[in-house]
């Protein structure tokens, strides 16, 4: 995965692809996270302050799924991963 710096003015996280939310909640090593499954791919959005979707929800590309949290240095950082067949 990659850590992406986010502007303090644009802290909302949008889905890069439509799919089904298979996880929404606390994830070890991160605050909150959302995992969206789309075909053989899973998209992980982590280090979220707020989550706006629930497990089982269907989302479209561009839907807001959460809001980014600050890291220990006060920066807004999104951790993002693409997994294919469960491999990053």
């Amino acid at each position: 995965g990659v850590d992406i710096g986010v502007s303090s003015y644009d802290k909302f996280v949008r889905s890069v692809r439509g799919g089904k939310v298979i996880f929404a909640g606390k994830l070890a090593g991160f605050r909150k996270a959302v995992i969206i499954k789309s075909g053989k791919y899973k998209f992980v959005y982590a280090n979220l302050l707020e989550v706006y979707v629930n497990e089982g929800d269907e989302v479209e590309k561009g839907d807001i799924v959460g809001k980014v949290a600050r890291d220990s240095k006060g920066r807004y950082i999104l951790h993002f991963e693409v997994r294919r067949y469960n491999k990053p």
Side-chain angles (χ1 to χ4, degrees):
V2 295
D3 290 334
I4 302 168
V6 177
S7 162
S8 62
Y9 298 105
D10 189 20
K11 298 176 281 194
F12 295 102
V13 177
R14 296 180 182 274
S15 175
V16 298
R17 194 165 171 182
K20 184 175 183 174
V21 178
I22 61 168
F23 179 84
K26 186 123 173 96
L27 187 63
F30 299 101
R31 288 185 173 197
K32 296 177 183 174
V34 171
I35 301 175
I36 298 171
K37 185 174 190 308
S38 180
K40 58 187 166 190
Y41 294 97
K42 291 180 183 172
F43 300 90
V44 179
Y45 308 86
N47 193 42
L48 302 178
L49 180 63
E50 297 176 25
V51 171
Y52 300 137
V53 293
N54 297 303
E55 290 178 22
D57 287 354
E58 292 285 337
V59 297
E60 298 292 327
K61 178 180 178 178
D63 285 354
I64 295 174
V65 298
K67 185 176 178 180
V68 177
R70 293 178 189 249
D71 68 2
S72 60
K73 295 179 182 175
R75 302 170 299 183
Y76 291 99
I77 302 290
L78 171 69
H79 181 78
F80 178 72
E81 291 181 17
V82 178
R83 298 177 181 173
R84 183 174 180 229
Y85 298 117
N86 289 324
K87 293 183 181 183

